[in-house]
Amino acid sequence: MNDREFREFMCMTALDEQSKAGQYILVAKEGAIPWNTTKCAEAGIDCPLASELDTVLRCQDLTLANGDRIAPSKYVAYGEKDLPKVGQVQEILVHPTHKSLIGMLVVPCVLESEIEPYRFPRCRRVANAQCLLSFEDILCAVSTIHNCAEHGCVSTMTRNVIQERQITINRESEYLHSVEPEDRLLNLAQLRSSSIIQSLHHVLPEPEHQTCQEMIKAAVQNRKEWDLTQSKAKGNTSAKKRKQPNAPSAPNPHQATRARTNGQLCSSHIEETTSTAVSVPGAIPSADVRDTSQCANNA
Ligand SMILES: [Zn+2]
């Protein structure tokens, strides 16, 4: 383990890396700002420190314990690992003298039903419910995506290409998400911190789609009910026939019948083929009934 090349070869360099947890980057060229001008004060939250602060520093970036970097407007999971909540970071505050982290202002979000075609839940912010969280409360960063399908986002050639740290006049495509930019969906397919992300399924409504086994079971049940209905209908038809002995007999649908009419041979052949394949739940089992009448001159 003391061999650096061996650690690199085994992709184990992270073992001896120093933790960057709690490291932050202050907002450039801002300096200390009065407490009453912060979003925390706007939300009616008092300073959590024993000694009231007149000024605070704001951060543009903070590294969590697991290495995730969060920033204002980004989304995080917080609370218990088994029962996490999702919120949007609004502000990260630091003590102006001790340089210690005061807390993060987070807007809680409600996860609503899944949105097609993404099958991700809508992440709706709850108004006037901000809370000031400590560093330990934040579990990880979570990714969200814009609901582009519903709002018809299209790519535009508006982004300037940066080459060698210089902005060029060349343009490349980008999505601006200008319509309802706050309509966000929680990306449940996120691989990083997936154990926490998957715990968020508990707050989602029951999915409408079924598993494969459930679909097969429902299809078999549908088929049984269909067969029962058909057999009852046939039973009723045959009972009516017995009650009317003089009535003309109906053609047997399973046998071809032939009749000579005006020198023509007509054959009426009703083929009934019933599919034995597994049907989709809720759908009527496929019964393909074809009436093929063929008339040919019998010279
Ligand atoms: Zn969009």
Side-chain angles (χ1 to χ4, degrees), residues 40-51:
C40 276
E42 282 180 26
I45 297 174
D46 296 327
C47 181
L49 302 179
S51 58

Side-chain angles (χ1 to χ4, degrees), residues 20-28 30 57-74 76 89-94 99-104 135 138 141:
K20 295 178 181 176
Q23 289 188 6
Y24 56 80
I25 300 174
L26 295 172
V27 175
E30 184 178 74
L57 295 169
R58 290 197 297 190
C59 299
Q60 66 175 25
D61 180 278
L62 171 70
T63 304
L64 298 178
N66 65 348
D68 289 352
R69 294 176 70 178
I70 64 169
S73 80
K74 300 296 182 185
V76 293
V89 178
Q90 284 201 318
E91 201 170 44
I92 305 170
L93 298 176
V94 169
K99 308 295 182 189
S100 59
L101 204 63
I102 296 174
M104 285 143 282
F135 182 78
I138 308 293

